[in-house]
Amino acid sequence: MTVTWEEAGWERLAAGVGRCRLPVWDCTAGLVVGDGSALIVDAGSSLAEGARLRTQAQWLAGHRVTHLALTHPHFDHVFGAAAFAGAEVYGPVGIDTVLDGRRAREELRADAVRNGLDAAAAEEASDALIRPHHQVSGEWTLDLGGGRQVLLANVGPAHTAHDLAVLVPARLPGDREVVFCGDLVEESGEPQAGQDAVPSHWPAALDRLLDLGGEDALYVPGHGAVVDAEFVRRQRDALAARFGVSR
């Protein structure tokens, strides 16, 4: 089945690169299509949402999802991960300390329910949570074939103790580099700093994002509309002022 990005409800950002804004929490999921491979960035807030993402991605790519990158361990980004059976899963080093263990899973489940996820769906997803096969401590280049390479960069701690960004270099004339930021950047509301945030490091993490993408990149926030480098700089400065971080 062949559909366009728009028909599937996705926003095309460059050749073979797009994202969708999921309902309820306005969480972003990304897709990067390679030659016989496909990378999903973040998995949605439930197994059902993850399954819908997988189906849509397979329509758009023309083949199955082979790779999954989790930007950070919050329920709205990881609870759909088990729906991507057979995919190689990547995350920032240390993410397993949040996704493994009964107590950690219970905390994620409880947070999801507090935020409005159906209790049965939250329990199902927390029980099925999978540990990433590959943990990124610095940078990791994925070769998706067909001249498509993607850089996974551990830029945290910041929004959480474990934050991963995904850089997709421009491949065709007229395309722009795309940086999937996770919740390091938020456009639809003020960036959320929970108990697992490390505010003193957050501005530096945004500097790292800007170094990765440069002035002309498209920056894809974890929630909200795609932004530019100037927006990221403004958010960096606002976070530094909010948390008293000297620049």
Side-chain angles (χ1 to χ4, degrees):
M1 179 177 182
T2 301
V3 297
T4 67
W5 295 88
E6 293 75 16
E7 287 170 341
W10 287 63
E11 178 182 2
R12 182 184 178 278
L13 304 174
V17 185
R19 70 86 176 246
C20 68
R21 294 170 69 168
L22 301 171
V24 185
W25 293 282
D26 191 25
C27 183
T28 286
L31 172 62
V32 185
V33 180
D35 184 7
S37 62
L39 166 71
I40 282 281
V41 182
D42 285 335
S45 61
S46 67
L47 290 175
E49 193 160 68
R52 287 194 295 272
L53 281 173
R54 182 195 64 213
T55 298
Q56 292 170 0
Q58 289 175 171
W59 286 345
L60 293 168
H63 45 258
R64 72 180 186 89
V65 174
T66 54
H67 300 76
L68 170 65
L70 303 175
T71 62
H72 65 285
H74 283 168
F75 82 91
D76 51 335
H77 296 259
V78 303
F79 263 11
F84 294 89
E88 290 294 308
V89 184
Y90 297 77
V93 68
I95 193 174
D96 59 321
T97 63
V98 182
L99 302 184
D100 276 351
R102 182 174 179 179
R103 180 175 178 179
R105 290 170 184 243
E106 172 57 26
E107 289 174 352
L108 276 176
R109 185 204 63 79
D111 184 53
V113 172
R114 280 195 301 272
N115 280 278
L117 184 62
D118 173 77
E123 183 172 2
E124 178 187 40
S126 62
D127 286 346
L129 269 174
I130 59 174
R131 176 177 180 170
H133 308 111
H134 312 284
Q135 295 190 47
V136 181
S137 60
E139 296 181 353
W140 191 311
T141 299
L142 292 180
D143 188 345
L144 299 179
R148 172 73 75 195
Q149 290 191 327
V150 174
L151 180 70
L152 310 180
N154 187 326
V155 297
H159 173 66
T160 73
H162 317 288
D163 291 299
L164 187 76
V166 179
L167 170 68
V168 187
R171 188 173 62 168
L172 297 179
D175 281 351
R176 296 163 68 181
E177 293 195 330
V178 178
V179 183
F180 291 98
C181 307
D183 286 2
L184 292 166
V185 177
E186 296 193 40
E187 185 275 335
S188 55
E190 186 175 84
Q192 298 300 300
Q195 292 184 345
D196 56 346
V198 187
S200 61
H201 289 249
W202 204 331
L206 296 188
D207 282 333
R208 179 70 179 121
L209 286 184
L210 291 165
D211 288 342
L212 284 170
E215 190 62 29
D216 297 326
L218 298 173
Y219 292 87
V220 184
H223 302 265
V226 175
V227 300
D228 59 12
E230 179 57 30
F231 182 95
V232 177
R233 280 194 293 271
R234 290 197 305 269
Q235 195 153 98
R236 175 201 63 193
D237 294 344
L239 286 166
R242 175 179 166 189
F243 296 117
V245 179
S246 60
R247 304 260 331 131

